[in-house]
Amino acid sequence: MAGWWPALSRAARRHPWPTNVLLYAALFSSGDALQQRLRGAQNDWRQTRRVATVVVTFHANFNYVWLSLLERALPGRAPRIVLAKVLCDQVVAAPIAVSAFYAGMSILQGKDDIFLDLKQKFWNTYMCSHAPDLASGSPSKLVPVSYDVTQLLSPFLLLADCCTGPSYS
């Protein structure tokens, strides 16, 4: 069991993109299954499979590329730079991610109006999950962006979000 962290670090250094995508997908999908269980319902594995599909095909890849571009555009760890990164992430990337999640899930569920869930749930999700990051300078975002954890930044930010705020529902 003690050998998993060095193996993950080595994989992240050698193959950062696939490692980030797979870890992000595992965490996000596990979060969906756990959320179902905490609500007292039986696990809907088809729902979790749909979540995993959206995450692998869009979310994880988008986050990896977005965070890499953000790091290139705003290099550094100074407080002003870190706050600028969080602001850019929440104002630019968060709406894209929320929109893609709801539209993607609707497509996979075979809904006629793939934008209906997005129209109904976008603002609530954004205001509960992302707007507090803007208002508070979210410590969950500031810590990983402040330190050099870029090899696993995308899954780390997902884990921080899971620990500090509501998820998509």
Side-chain angles (χ1 to χ4, degrees):
M1 184 74 167
W4 70 270
W5 183 253
L8 182 62
S9 296
R10 194 169 41 257
R13 275 191 305 281
R14 289 183 185 160
H15 311 287
W17 194 332
T19 303
N20 273 268
V21 167
L22 293 174
L23 186 56
Y24 191 95
L27 289 170
F28 206 106
S29 302
S30 298
D32 177 71
L34 179 61
Q35 186 178 55
Q36 291 175 34
R37 179 61 75 184
L38 291 174
R39 289 182 176 166
Q42 286 282 48
N43 281 56
D44 180 356
W45 296 113
R46 289 180 8 181
Q47 163 73 13
T48 303
R49 187 172 54 241
R50 286 190 293 268
V51 167
T53 301
V54 170
V55 169
V56 168
T57 58
F58 178 77
H59 266 260
N61 291 292
F62 172 74
N63 279 331
Y64 182 82
V65 172
W66 167 251
L67 293 170
S68 298
L69 291 172
L70 195 58
E71 186 60 36
R72 280 191 214 129
L74 299 168
R77 307 277 184 254
R80 286 183 56 208
I81 299 293
V82 171
L83 287 173
K85 288 178 187 179
V86 172
L87 181 65
C88 285
D89 184 55
Q90 297 309 302
V91 171
V92 177
I96 294 169
V98 171
S99 299
F101 179 81
Y102 285 126
M105 289 297 289
S106 293
I107 290 168
L108 293 175
Q109 291 167 342
K111 293 186 176 180
D112 292 330
D113 184 356
I114 64 168
F115 298 110
L116 182 62
D117 278 350
L118 174 61
K119 291 174 197 169
Q120 293 174 342
K121 299 177 181 179
F122 175 84
W123 282 112
N124 187 48
T125 302
Y126 184 76
M127 296 307 285
C128 290
S129 297
H130 299 286
D133 293 341
L134 292 172
S136 67
S138 179
S140 70
K141 295 286 191 315
L142 295 176
V143 171
V145 176
S146 299
Y147 294 100
D148 190 18
V149 292
T150 54
Q151 292 170 332
L152 295 171
L153 186 58
S154 184
F156 188 89
L157 287 174
L158 172 67
L159 190 58
D161 262 352
C162 291
C163 295
T164 60
S167 63
Y168 305 107
S169 56

